[in-house]
Structure formats: structure tokens, C-alpha cells
Amino acid sequence: MVALVDYSSVKSLSEIWSLTAERFKEIPALQDPHAKIPVSLTYGELYQKLQQFAAGLQDLGLKADAKVAIFADNSPRWFIADQGTMMAGATNVVRSSQADRDELLYILKDSESSGLIVEDQKTLQKLSLDFGQYPLDFIILLSDENSDPELTVKQLNFSQLLDLGKGKIPAPSPHDRRSLATLIYTSGTTGQPKGAMLSHGNLLHQVAELRAILNPEKGDRVLSILPSWHSYERSAEYFLLSQGCTMIYTSIRTFKNDLKKFKPRHMVAVPRLWESIYEGVQKTFREKSENQQKLINFFFNISTQYILSKRIAENLSLDHLHASGLERAIAQLKTLLFTPIHLLGDKIVYQKIREVTGGEVKTFVSGGGSLAKHLDDFYEIVGIPVLVGYGLTETSPVTNARTHSHNLRYSSGKPIPQTEIRIVDPETRQTLPPEQRGIVLIRGPQVMMGYYNKPEATAKAIDADGWFDSGDLGWVTAANDLVLTGRAKDTIVLSNGENIEPQPIEDACIRSAYIDQIMLVGQDQKALGALIVPNLEALEKWVKSQSLDLTFPDSSVSFEELKQSGLYNKAVLDLFRKELNREIKDRPGYRPDDQIKNFTLILEPFSLTNGMMTQTLKIKRPVVTEHYRGIIEGMFEKS
């Protein structure tokens, strides 16, 4: 194992960068190959720009502990603004420039920010600020556009601010580990967002303890795709950069090509990203000849048995935690039996799949939502190391993680150092024994200071003993691995009183090649229903194979027109009914109440653009429910 750099003596996050400038001076720190003018900064150059940015802010009169809002997105300049404001002694307040205007204005006012840093003039114009309501001392553009001469507030662009701080050493920040470092507003799905107060100590705990998951070496390449302001990506970046890695910014549009081009060693992402790689591979398989598909399926079927036997033998199968010594011995024999065919499959098929990710992956980390079981299986079979972590914005965020040495699939792993997990009964709040499901409580140095200016919400979230209520449902194994089963507030209660956690069923359903996205509905109904976004490419291929003369419209048609189209042909509906029944009945722990009795096919995907997904690509269930309220009600009228 590589010896990682220790920052235990550091008092604030921004102190790290002077040390990295000494240790990794000539190593590239931040690269943006997709900028209009590609950017590459070494650790020495990065520290210099951080100092200039901080000194420039102080020259503008920035006071210690002032709040500075940063409404911008992934780029080296975002990181410079983030750590430059902290180095100047400020607390920053972060959100995407793509967020709704009303949300950004709410955050600006609620946080009492006295400074504003924005992506560009377009973002500033979107805000259309009334400076009587939002008194600001300065505005900084992260672009190099000219200032708006009509603004009465002092305004500089990025280059002008660096010039202002050039040759100056910023006054030392007064911050220590107890100081407020940042406010990250929970995007949520209902109500106004709340500002989670994360201290320097919260974030430094992550810098110190993410080594439980990742073990990087200096110069390791990392692709950055999640929003840099989000706690998950942010803490991962701080840790990886503290160890001398090279951060390369990518995007949803470019990341598949960037995987092959830059051959990353590490990457953190959400399940939807790993799913898109999987879907790309499945698409390639579907384009093979019938004989090639049979061979691929043969290898995957054998390898599925291989990984299950191996898990049981190593006591790393969540479904066989109580396997006897004899059962494990039999599993070991099966593993030996399947190994030669698995290795042949690796040589013929899986090796080519690894090339899709660049072929040099040390660790991919999945978080921000549950990783579907078929994805967990797929990546293990093809030899791409995927670990799963768990946490929330309020916990900075990581609390649990699987590791290479203890990779219990379908779980979220053990607590990282200094972290405690407790499962309690939702009603009595009494601690439950292993393998009993309840609410997940968390305690540790990464738990936030509270919600900004919301003492009642803080008291509701964190009890007197420091336990944070995650709102998640789960259980722990005897070895203290956390297994999540859903969100307490996402639970669908049927009219017969049965509680259904939608996520595991949805994860099972998207195994179908014909289902791109799915959201379960059915609160207070007799049975479950679903909104389904079909995979039209796979569906069109199936239609052709069945010699059906059907065409599908685009998403611009009305729902009534859609129902008259080929998408609602009886053969197509029967296909989806068959797919749903098979995938649901094949999942472990299947119950009759899990069956989806009604479903509606829609063509508009859930996305960031239409406001139906969060920045971490989780479906905003209340938003989708409200948008399709009439369709959902109609779905159940006939049942």
C-alpha cells in the first residue's frame, strides 16, 4: 500500500495547498481539456493563483468570516474561487449556475452573503439582482468578460481580480477546524433548501479518512464529472488533490471519449453514470451476430455463477451471510470449476470492455444513490473495480464505504474511521440488533454543525447526543456493513397497509433492455404502478425482429396522440408487462405486493433540464408525481 501524505497537523482546509505546492510542485493539478483555451495548472501554479485570488478579495475589503456566494460550475476557476475564498478567511456558499433563479436568490439572501462570484455575465443577468434587497460589496465574474458599466456594485472579472492580488501575500486566515468553511444547500425535492453548515474540521476529516476507500499515488489521473460544488465530488477532489493526483474535468457529453483518452486511475460518480457505461456495452452486444451474442451470454452466465460461488466461499455474499462451513467449501469447489471458463471469457470479452474505461482503473467509487445489483454484478464480472460509498450533504458526505479488501456487494460497506452507525426503530427510536431494518443514524467528526439559521430543523436532525437522522432505511450485518433499503419519505404505502421501498424494485426493472428509466407510484392504491421511459433503440430492434409495422413518435406529441401511436400497440404493452413481471419476480426477497399492475409509457426522459432530476441524477419523485398527476390518476382509475 502506498504511504499517503498526512495532514493531521493542518488547522484549515486552505492550508493544504501550500504543502502540496512544495511536495508536488511540477505535477499537473487541474486540467480542463475542453475549455475554449485548454487549461493545465501544476500544483505550484495553482497555489500561486489561489494566493492571488485571496489577496485580491482582501484588497476589495473582504472581511474575515464574511459569506461569499459562488454560483458556478466545474472548471479550474471554480476550484480557485472555492479555495481562494477560504484562504482569504471567508465562508463560501455554493450552488450551480444552472439552478433556478428563485433558488439562487433564496440562497443568496438566506446565507446573508456580502460577496458574489458567478460563472459569467449570463448567470448575472439571469439573477437580475435588486441591490436594495441583496446588498453586495462586490461581484466577481469567473469569465474574462467585461464588467457591466450600469452596475453600481464593484465588479471585476477573473483576470482583473488576479491582477489585483498579483505580488501580494494574503493575510493569514483566522479559521481553524471549528470554523465554518462552507454552506451547501440541500437541493431536496420539496420546500426551500436548507444550508448545511460544514466546518473545516468536517472537511478535513474526509481528507484524512477517504484513504479507507482510495489509495492514490501522486500523478494518478482522475476524471471529474460530478458538480464540483456538491459535497461528494468536493470532498473526493480535496482528498485526491491533497495526494498529488491530476484532476481532469469532463462532462456527460465527453466522458466516454475521455475515459479512453485519459485512462483514469480513479473516478467518483453516481449510479446513472455507471449505468450509461453498462448500457453502451449492452448496445454493442445487441449489434453482434446471433452466434456472437450466444457466446457472450454463455460467458456471462458462467461468470455470474463464478462470482456468486466466490462471494459465498469468501463470506462476502450478502444473501448467504449465514452459510455453513460446508456450503462455503462447496462454493469454493464451484469457484475452481468455473474459473477456467471465466478466465477465457475475460480474454475474449471482458478485456475489451475494460478498454472502454481506458484499461487502467484502480478504483471507481459509486455514491449519491443505490447501485443496482445487476450493475454491481456486471462490473465484478468484467474486472472493473467499483466500490460503493454512502453519506449525505450533512455528513460532508462520506460515512460508510466498501473497500478492496472487504467489498461486500449490494452493501454500502463499514463506517469509515471515527464514524458510528446506529439503526433504530422508526417509532420507538430504540436501537435495533443486526439484520433488523430501521432508520439509519450517524455520529462522527464529519456530521455538520447544523442548518444555517434554522435551529428547529437542526434540533430535529441532530439529537442531544450528536446522532444525525439520515432519513434512510437500512440494516447492518453482524460485521457492521450497512445495507440500505430505501428512503423513509419515499416509502409507498399501499391501501392494504404494505410498505414498499421503490428503489430496489426500480433497480430490478431497469435490468430490462427495453426500460431506460422508471418511477414507481401507487401511494394509497391497491397495487403499484409505474411511469416508464422506454429505450426506443432496443424497442425498435425488437419490433423489427417481430416483423411488426410500428412507428414511434418523438416526445413533442401530446399524451393522447402518444396513446394512439405504435408505442401503445398491444404487442408492445405485452412485452413491457412480461419484462416487468420477469425482472421483479427474479429479484431476491420478491413479494406479491411488489408486482406492478399498471404502467404508463412516456417519451420525455427525467432529466436535469426539465427539473425532474437532482444534480446527482436522482429522480425528484414529488416533482415527477405533480407533473404527471393526471396521467397517474388515470392509470389507477381502470384498476
Coordinates of all heavy atoms in Angstrom, one line a residue, residues 32 68 99 119 142 148 164 188 203 221 228 302 328 375 400 419 456 478 506 524 529 553 561 591 619 632:
D32 N -8.3 21.3 -17.8 CA -9.6 21.3 -18.5 C -9.4 21.3 -20.0 O -9.2 22.3 -20.6 CB -10.4 22.6 -18.1 CG -11.8 22.6 -18.6 OD1 -12.1 21.7 -19.5 OD2 -12.5 23.5 -18.3
V68 N -19.5 34.5 1.0 CA -19.3 34.8 -0.4 C -20.0 33.7 -1.2 O -19.7 32.5 -1.0 CB -17.8 34.9 -0.8 CG1 -17.7 35.1 -2.3 CG2 -17.1 36.0 -0.1
A99 N -28.9 26.4 -11.7 CA -30.0 26.3 -10.8 C -31.1 27.4 -11.1 O -30.7 28.4 -11.7 CB -29.6 26.4 -9.3
E119 N -20.5 32.5 -12.6 CA -19.9 31.8 -13.8 C -19.6 32.9 -14.9 O -18.5 32.9 -15.4 CB -20.9 30.8 -14.3 CG -20.4 30.0 -15.5 CD -19.5 28.8 -15.2 OE1 -19.5 28.4 -14.0 OE2 -18.8 28.3 -16.0
L142 N -16.3 34.7 -13.1 CA -15.2 33.7 -13.4 C -14.8 33.7 -14.8 O -13.9 33.0 -15.2 CB -15.6 32.4 -12.9 CG -15.7 32.2 -11.4 CD1 -16.0 30.7 -11.0 CD2 -14.4 32.7 -10.7
D148 N -20.2 45.1 -16.3 CA -21.4 45.8 -16.7 C -21.3 47.2 -16.2 O -21.4 47.4 -14.9 CB -22.7 45.1 -16.2 CG -24.0 45.8 -16.6 OD1 -23.9 46.9 -17.1 OD2 -25.0 45.1 -16.5
L164 N -5.2 42.2 -9.4 CA -5.3 43.0 -8.2 C -4.5 42.3 -7.1 O -3.9 43.0 -6.2 CB -6.8 43.1 -7.8 CG -7.1 44.0 -6.6 CD1 -6.7 45.5 -6.9 CD2 -8.6 43.9 -6.2
G188 N -32.7 18.9 -2.4 CA -34.0 18.4 -2.0 C -35.0 18.3 -3.1 O -34.6 18.5 -4.3
L203 N -14.6 18.8 6.8 CA -14.0 18.5 5.5 C -12.6 17.9 5.7 O -12.2 17.0 4.9 CB -13.9 19.8 4.7 CG -15.2 20.4 4.3 CD1 -15.1 21.8 3.7 CD2 -16.0 19.5 3.4
R221 N -4.2 9.9 -12.6 CA -5.2 10.7 -13.3 C -6.6 10.4 -12.8 O -7.0 9.3 -12.6 CB -5.2 10.4 -14.8 CG -3.9 10.7 -15.5 CD -3.8 10.3 -16.9 NE -3.9 8.8 -17.0 CZ -3.0 7.9 -16.8 NH1 -1.8 8.4 -16.5 NH2 -3.2 6.6 -16.9
S228 N -18.8 20.2 -9.0 CA -17.7 20.4 -8.1 C -18.1 20.9 -6.8 O -17.5 20.8 -5.7 CB -16.6 21.3 -8.7 OG -15.9 20.7 -9.7
I302 N -21.9 -18.1 -17.0 CA -20.9 -18.9 -16.2 C -20.2 -18.0 -15.2 O -20.1 -18.3 -14.0 CB -19.9 -19.5 -17.2 CG1 -20.5 -20.6 -18.0 CG2 -18.7 -20.1 -16.3 CD1 -21.1 -21.8 -17.3
R328 N -19.7 -23.2 2.2 CA -18.6 -22.4 1.7 C -17.6 -23.3 1.0 O -17.0 -22.9 0.0 CB -17.9 -21.6 2.8 CG -18.8 -20.4 3.3 CD -18.0 -19.3 3.9 NE -17.4 -19.7 5.2 CZ -18.1 -19.6 6.4 NH1 -19.3 -19.1 6.4 NH2 -17.5 -20.0 7.5
L375 N -25.7 -4.0 -11.9 CA -24.5 -3.2 -12.2 C -23.4 -3.7 -11.4 O -22.2 -3.8 -11.8 CB -24.8 -1.7 -12.0 CG -25.8 -1.1 -12.9 CD1 -26.0 0.4 -12.6 CD2 -25.4 -1.2 -14.4
N400 N -19.8 5.8 5.2 CA -19.5 4.3 5.0 C -18.9 4.1 3.6 O -19.2 4.9 2.7 CB -20.8 3.5 5.1 CG -21.4 3.5 6.5 OD1 -21.8 4.5 7.0 ND2 -21.4 2.3 7.1
T419 N -16.3 6.9 12.8 CA -17.7 7.1 12.5 C -18.6 6.0 13.1 O -18.1 4.8 13.0 CB -17.9 7.1 10.9 OG1 -17.1 8.1 10.4 CG2 -19.4 7.4 10.5
E456 N -34.5 25.0 14.7 CA -35.5 23.9 14.9 C -35.2 22.8 14.0 O -35.3 21.6 14.4 CB -36.9 24.5 14.6 CG -37.4 25.5 15.7 CD -38.8 26.0 15.4 OE1 -39.4 25.5 14.5 OE2 -39.3 26.8 16.2
A478 N -23.8 -8.4 10.9 CA -23.1 -8.7 12.2 C -21.7 -8.1 12.1 O -21.1 -7.7 13.2 CB -23.0 -10.2 12.4
E506 N -37.3 -0.6 -8.7 CA -36.9 0.1 -9.9 C -35.5 -0.4 -10.4 O -35.3 -0.5 -11.6 CB -36.8 1.6 -9.5 CG -38.1 2.2 -9.3 CD -38.1 3.6 -8.6 OE1 -37.0 4.0 -8.2 OE2 -39.2 4.2 -8.5
D524 N -51.4 4.8 -1.5 CA -52.8 4.6 -1.1 C -53.6 3.8 -2.2 O -54.8 3.8 -2.1 CB -53.5 5.9 -0.8 CG -52.8 6.6 0.4 OD1 -52.4 6.0 1.3 OD2 -52.7 7.9 0.3
G529 N -48.0 1.0 -9.5 CA -48.0 1.5 -10.9 C -46.6 2.0 -11.2 O -45.8 2.1 -10.3
P553 N -43.5 8.0 -32.1 CA -43.4 9.4 -32.3 C -42.2 10.0 -31.4 O -41.6 9.2 -30.6 CB -44.7 10.0 -31.8 CG -45.2 9.0 -30.8 CD -44.7 7.6 -31.3
E561 N -52.1 11.7 -28.3 CA -51.5 11.3 -29.5 C -50.6 10.1 -29.3 O -50.5 9.1 -30.1 CB -50.7 12.4 -30.2 CG -51.6 13.5 -30.7 CD -50.8 14.7 -31.2 OE1 -49.9 15.2 -30.4 OE2 -51.1 15.2 -32.3
R591 N -42.0 -10.2 -3.2 CA -43.3 -10.4 -2.6 C -44.4 -10.1 -3.6 O -44.2 -9.3 -4.5 CB -43.5 -9.5 -1.4 CG -42.4 -9.6 -0.3 CD -42.7 -8.6 0.8 NE -42.7 -7.3 0.3 CZ -43.1 -6.2 1.0 NH1 -43.5 -6.3 2.2 NH2 -43.1 -5.0 0.4
I619 N -34.1 10.9 -9.3 CA -35.4 11.4 -9.7 C -36.0 12.2 -8.6 O -36.0 11.7 -7.4 CB -36.3 10.2 -10.1 CG1 -35.7 9.5 -11.4 CG2 -37.7 10.7 -10.4 CD1 -36.4 8.2 -11.7
I632 N -51.1 9.8 -13.8 CA -51.1 8.8 -12.7 C -52.5 8.4 -12.2 O -52.8 7.3 -12.0 CB -50.2 9.3 -11.6 CG1 -48.7 9.4 -12.1 CG2 -50.3 8.4 -10.4 CD1 -47.8 10.1 -11.1

